[in-house]
Amino acid sequence: MSQLTHLNHQGEANMVDVSSKDNSVRVARAQALITMTPETLALITDGKHTKGDVFGVARIAGIQAAKRCSDLIPLCHPLMLTKVAVDFEILADSNSVRVESLCKLTGKTGVEMEALTAASVAALTLFDMCKASDPMMVISEVKVLEKQGGKSGHWHAN
């Protein structure tokens, strides 16, 4: 198992010093799944939700969240993201929406936390906009799907 990098030699939380790392292109993709009733999914997909463009609002929320990740997660570095995308896949057979985010930059540290934050906040926004019609929605399967760049290279989740 790898050493925990956010602890100093005394076991105290600290922000990792990345100043000696080389810049490289860093990319991460993450997902979140939100499951709801068929009626709620139909409201969203048919564009009949009284709050308007649910996906549009959730997309902007996810993008904003990625940009503010270091304000939310205490030891994250503030990053100059060059790309943030949030997309939605309707999974009608399971009455779910799969939220997928992509974050990219050229820098000294990875963007996994930004991608996870974007996917999570987009799913939370879907929940917020639809909770009046379906308070029992479930957000699950929040995970990193892919990471590129840096010393550890490129990997995909199985």
Side-chain angles (χ1 to χ4, degrees), residues 30-75:
Q31 76 162 27
L33 190 69
I34 182 164
T35 305
M36 59 196 69
T37 64
E39 296 79 17
T40 300
L41 186 59
L43 280 176
I44 296 170
T45 57
D46 296 344
K48 294 183 178 176
H49 197 288
T50 58
K51 292 189 178 182
D53 183 3
V54 174
F55 288 139
V57 174
R59 178 176 287 111
I60 295 297
I63 292 168
Q64 284 297 104
K67 292 166 50 176
R68 301 296 302 264
C69 186
S70 67
D71 292 336
L72 302 168
I73 313 287
L75 301 178

Side-chain angles (χ1 to χ4, degrees), residues 21-22 24-29 109-112 144-157:
K21 287 181 151 186
D22 291 330
S24 69
V25 175
R26 315 271 186 147
V27 179
R29 288 185 314 109
T109 188
V111 290
E112 296 92 332
V144 176
L145 299 172
E146 179 181 15
K147 178 221 168 282
Q148 297 177 41
K151 274 195 314 190
S152 60
H154 187 186
W155 66 263
H156 291 271

Side-chain angles (χ1 to χ4, degrees), residues 127-147:
F127 188 102
D128 180 52
M129 294 187 75
C130 298
K131 68 183 181 276
S133 64
D134 189 359
M136 298 300 291
M137 290 176 286
V138 174
I139 297 172
S140 63
E141 296 191 43
V142 177
K143 62 184 178 181
V144 176
L145 299 172
E146 179 181 15
K147 178 221 168 282

